[in-house]
């Protein structure tokens, strides 16, 4: 049990380190707005699942992106095409997930917004 608790402690330290990052805080802020909208519009359980999954995916990928950026910086501080490519690929994964999260958010919220406007 001690090793499990130690693993949880390390994971929480990782999340704390991620929170220092500007992009993570921005994405977390957007997630809080989405959650507030979900409560406001009383979305369905399935819609909650879609939104929560997307929030977890985007935030998780941002943590992975930050991890890879730190690892690349640890290995080399020199400008190297492969180092830049690794960072770009990781950032690209966050962009893809974020874009799809926006699309899914529009799909979920559009009927509620449209009904509120009419």
């Amino acid at each position: 049990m001690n090793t499990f608790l130690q693993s949880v402690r390390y994971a929480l330290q990782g999340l704390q380190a991620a929170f220092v990052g500007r992009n993570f805080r921005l994405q977390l802020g957007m997630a809080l707005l989405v959650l507030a909208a979900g409560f406001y519009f009383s979305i369905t359980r399935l819609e909650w699942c879609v939104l929560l999954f997307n929030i977890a995916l985007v935030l998780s990928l941002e943590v992975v992106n930050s991890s890879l950026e730190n690892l690349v910086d640890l290995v080399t501080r020199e400008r190297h095409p492969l180092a830049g490519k690794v960072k770009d690929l990781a950032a690209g994964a966050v962009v893809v997930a974020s874009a799809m999260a926006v699309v899914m958010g529009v799909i979920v919220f559009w009927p509620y917004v449209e009904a509120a406007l009419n």
Side-chain angles (χ1 to χ4, degrees), residues 47 50-51 100-113:
E47 291 167 334
V50 168
L51 295 180
M100 290 311 299
V102 168
V103 169
M104 290 182 173
V106 169
I107 291 169
V108 167
F109 286 116
W110 183 253
Y112 296 101
V113 172

Side-chain angles (χ1 to χ4, degrees), residues 36-95:
F39 284 113
Y40 178 79
F41 288 117
S42 298
I43 62 176
T44 68
R45 290 172 66 177
L46 180 59
E47 291 167 334
W48 273 116
C49 290
V50 168
L51 295 180
L52 292 172
F53 176 80
N54 277 289
I55 289 169
L57 180 63
V58 170
L59 292 176
S60 296
L61 282 174
E62 184 57 44
V63 171
V64 170
N65 179 43
S66 296
S67 299
L68 287 170
E69 286 183 358
N70 284 307
L71 181 60
V72 168
D73 289 344
L74 176 66
V75 172
T76 181
R77 288 290 187 173
E78 297 174 19
R79 286 203 172 267
H80 190 282
L82 286 178
K85 188 174 187 177
V86 168
K87 289 182 173 189
D88 292 347
L89 286 167
V94 177
V95 169

